[in-house]
Amino acid sequence: MLFFRKRHGIVNVKMIITEEKILSNLDKVQKLINPSSKKQIVQLEEDAFFKDLIDSIKTYLTEYPKKKNFPASVYKASYGLVEYATNQFEENTKQIEGLIRQRETNIAFSNELHEILATCENKDKEWKARVKQVAARTTEDIVQALIIIGKGKNPEAENYVDAVKLIQARAANLEANLHIEIDMERIEDRSKALSYIGIEVAEALKGIPAPAMSHEELTAKTAAEAEYIEQTRFEVKPSLWQRLKQSKLARALTYVTRVKLVVDVPALPEGTEKN
């Protein structure tokens, strides 16, 4: 059981943080970052509940009086949370890289549509070949619109004008990549929360000795497996958090959104507890 004071305005409130409470908070955080959960963190900056959960976990880890007697269940759950967040962060890397490639493809195809549109409008001799080349990579309505423009003799005819508007609108949508930008923003917000866990929880865990494995845990594994787990499973090695900081996602987000992920942040703001 850990006692600490938390400020609410100008009043100091003494709170009791139990092992069960911290385990519950760790579980709540994991659910908030689970991409399959119905209730997920939306924006880190505006989610005081999420920050308060992390604050309570960090406080428990850093202020626990006898680190040698630190509850193994909390250590393991905290480590599991950091490892889960790290894996999710790396999965986001793959998603971001895929979105970047898709955005580049869309922009290139937008430029190609503009070129083919000009070819059809000018009635260049290769306009039919250009339309045929692009047919497999676009929808039927775009193909038909290009044919109308290529064959049309009156640029002021209603179907001709509508066809040009359709091509221009499709090219503009591809260039804007609105749905991709929305997806990138959503992933970025989730990644900020994941990196926040690494910043606060993983760093706090470094000050706690790794708990010894129980006899049951040791005997459940072969000698080689037990040795590997003893050396790696319950120790927060720098490489775990380095996987977060060195992930391609940090560079990808900077490239795409020009928003730099900051890995050294000030102390958490004091907030209110939410049950």
Side-chain angles (χ1 to χ4, degrees):
M1 183 180 295
L2 181 65
F3 295 84
F4 70 96
R5 295 185 178 274
K6 192 171 187 179
R7 256 185 175 175
H8 298 274
I10 60 174
V11 180
N12 283 335
V13 180
K14 191 172 185 179
M15 301 179 64
I16 301 175
I17 301 298
T18 63
E19 180 179 340
E20 291 75 17
K21 177 65 174 178
I22 290 301
L23 289 172
S24 175
N25 287 355
L26 285 161
D27 182 64
K28 289 176 182 176
V29 171
Q30 183 143 338
K31 288 178 180 177
L32 285 172
I33 63 175
N34 187 335
S36 300
S37 298
K38 293 183 179 179
K39 184 179 180 182
Q40 297 181 42
I41 185 169
V42 178
Q43 289 187 329
L44 177 63
E45 292 85 354
E46 300 176 6
D47 201 321
F49 177 49
F50 179 83
K51 287 185 175 181
D52 279 348
L53 288 174
I54 299 298
D55 190 26
S56 71
I57 295 166
K58 178 186 177 184
T59 300
Y60 190 93
L61 295 174
T62 56
E63 297 188 9
Y64 197 87
K66 297 180 180 180
K67 296 292 194 294
K68 291 183 179 180
N69 298 328
F70 191 86
S73 60
V74 176
Y75 188 97
K76 295 172 186 178
S78 300
Y79 181 89
L81 174 63
V82 174
E83 188 169 45
Y84 181 79
T86 303
N87 291 336
Q88 289 296 314
F89 197 93
E90 292 177 341
E91 182 61 30
N92 284 0
T93 300
K94 299 176 184 177
Q95 294 181 32
I96 284 288
E97 290 175 341
L99 290 171
I100 291 173
R101 287 192 296 270
Q102 184 60 54
R103 191 178 75 162
E104 292 173 346
T105 298
N106 288 353
I107 292 174
F109 190 61
S110 172
N111 293 333
E112 188 175 359
L113 276 182
H114 281 301
E115 293 174 0
I116 297 175
L117 173 60
T119 299
C120 293
E121 286 180 314
N122 296 331
K123 307 299 185 290
D124 291 349
K125 60 181 181 180
E126 72 271 14
W127 77 263
K128 289 183 180 180
R130 294 296 306 277
V131 172
K132 186 176 181 180
Q133 290 173 356
V134 81
R137 292 181 287 121
T138 189
T139 56
E140 182 63 23
D141 59 339
I142 293 297
V143 174
Q144 291 303 316
L146 290 170
I147 291 174
I148 289 172
I149 297 168
K151 291 183 176 180
K153 300 184 182 299
N154 181 7
E156 296 180 0
E158 184 177 357
N159 65 338
Y160 189 105
V161 173
D162 290 343
V164 171
K165 288 181 179 179
L166 177 62
I167 302 300
Q168 291 175 337
R170 185 65 57 84
N173 288 338
L174 287 168
E175 186 174 3
N177 287 295
L178 182 60
H179 69 288
I180 291 180
E181 298 297 335
I182 292 173
D183 286 345
M184 283 184 173
E185 183 177 351
R186 174 180 54 81
I187 295 173
E188 178 195 353
D189 288 334
R190 192 165 69 238
S191 294
K192 286 180 180 179
L194 295 172
S195 65
Y196 199 73
I197 292 171
I199 294 165
E200 302 297 335
V201 180
E203 291 297 327
L205 271 174
K206 290 180 179 179
I208 302 174
M213 295 185 69
S214 68
H215 176 73
E216 290 77 12
E217 288 176 314
L218 287 170
T219 55
K221 301 291 182 180
T222 64
E225 290 173 331
E227 182 180 2
Y228 174 77
I229 292 173
E230 186 70 11
Q231 292 175 351
T232 64
R233 184 177 179 185
F234 303 133
E235 180 182 354
V236 180
K237 293 180 178 296
S239 59
L240 182 63
W241 176 223
Q242 289 300 324
R243 285 165 60 196
L244 281 170
K245 292 194 291 185
Q246 295 175 0
S247 170
K248 293 180 181 178
L249 181 59
R251 296 193 297 273
L253 288 175
T254 302
Y255 170 73
V256 175
T257 64
R258 302 302 179 189
V259 175
K260 183 178 181 182
L261 292 180
V262 180
V263 297
D264 294 315
V265 296
L268 290 178
E270 294 177 341
T272 58
E273 185 181 31
K274 181 175 178 182
N275 294 324

